[in-house]
Coordinates of all heavy atoms in Angstrom, one line a residue:
F85 N -25.7 15.4 -21.4 CA -27.0 15.8 -21.9 C -28.0 14.6 -21.6 O -29.2 14.9 -21.5 CB -27.1 16.1 -23.3 CG -26.6 17.5 -23.6 CD1 -25.3 17.7 -24.1 CD2 -27.3 18.6 -23.4 CE1 -24.8 19.0 -24.4 CE2 -26.9 19.9 -23.6 CZ -25.6 20.1 -24.1
S86 N -27.6 13.4 -21.4 CA -28.5 12.3 -21.0 C -29.1 12.6 -19.6 O -30.2 12.1 -19.4 CB -27.7 11.0 -21.0 OG -26.7 11.0 -20.0
A87 N -28.5 13.3 -18.8 CA -29.0 13.6 -17.5 C -30.3 14.5 -17.6 O -31.1 14.5 -16.7 CB -28.0 14.3 -16.6
V88 N -30.3 15.2 -18.7 CA -31.5 16.1 -19.0 C -32.6 15.3 -19.7 O -33.8 15.4 -19.4 CB -31.1 17.3 -19.8 CG1 -32.3 18.2 -20.0 CG2 -30.0 18.1 -19.1
V89 N -32.1 14.5 -20.7 CA -33.1 13.8 -21.5 C -33.7 12.6 -20.8 O -34.9 12.3 -20.9 CB -32.4 13.3 -22.8 CG1 -33.3 12.4 -23.7 CG2 -31.9 14.4 -23.7
Y90 N -32.8 11.9 -20.0 CA -33.3 10.8 -19.2 C -33.0 11.0 -17.7 O -32.1 10.3 -17.1 CB -32.6 9.5 -19.6 CG -32.6 9.2 -21.1 CD1 -31.4 9.3 -21.9 CD2 -33.8 8.9 -21.7 CE1 -31.5 9.0 -23.2 CE2 -33.8 8.6 -23.1 CZ -32.7 8.7 -23.9 OH -32.7 8.4 -25.2
P91 N -33.7 12.0 -17.1 CA -33.4 12.3 -15.7 C -33.7 11.1 -14.8 O -34.7 10.4 -15.0 CB -34.4 13.4 -15.4 CG -35.5 13.3 -16.4 CD -34.8 12.8 -17.6
K92 N -32.8 10.8 -13.9 CA -33.0 9.7 -13.0 C -33.6 10.1 -11.7 O -33.2 11.2 -11.2 CB -31.6 9.0 -12.7 CG -30.9 8.4 -13.9 CD -29.6 7.8 -13.6 CE -28.9 7.2 -14.8 NZ -27.6 6.7 -14.5
P93 N -34.6 9.4 -11.2 CA -35.2 9.8 -9.9 C -34.2 9.7 -8.8 O -33.2 8.9 -8.8 CB -36.3 8.7 -9.7 CG -35.8 7.5 -10.5 CD -35.1 8.1 -11.7
P94 N -34.3 10.6 -7.8 CA -33.4 10.6 -6.7 C -33.4 9.3 -6.0 O -34.5 8.6 -5.8 CB -33.8 11.7 -5.8 CG -35.3 11.9 -6.2 CD -35.4 11.6 -7.6
E95 N -32.3 8.8 -5.5 CA -32.2 7.6 -4.8 C -32.9 7.7 -3.5 O -32.8 8.7 -2.7 CB -30.7 7.2 -4.5 CG -30.0 6.8 -5.7 CD -28.5 6.4 -5.4 OE1 -28.3 6.2 -4.2 OE2 -27.7 6.3 -6.3
T96 N -33.7 6.7 -3.2 CA -34.5 6.7 -1.9 C -33.6 6.0 -0.9 O -33.2 4.8 -1.1 CB -35.8 5.9 -2.0 OG1 -35.6 4.6 -2.6 CG2 -36.7 6.7 -3.0
Q97 N -33.3 6.7 0.2 CA -32.5 6.1 1.3 C -33.2 6.2 2.6 O -34.0 7.1 2.8 CB -31.2 6.9 1.3 CG -30.3 6.7 0.1 CD -29.0 7.5 0.3 OE1 -28.9 8.4 1.0 NE2 -28.0 7.0 -0.5
A98 N -32.9 5.3 3.5 CA -33.4 5.4 4.8 C -32.8 6.6 5.5 O -31.7 6.9 5.3 CB -33.0 4.1 5.6
P99 N -33.6 7.3 6.3 CA -33.1 8.5 6.9 C -32.0 8.3 7.9 O -32.0 7.2 8.5 CB -34.3 9.1 7.6 CG -35.2 7.9 7.8 CD -35.0 7.0 6.7

Side-chain angles (χ1 to χ4, degrees):
F85 282 101
S86 63
V88 181
V89 177
Y90 308 113
K92 296 178 181 178
E95 292 183 10
T96 55
Q97 297 182 335

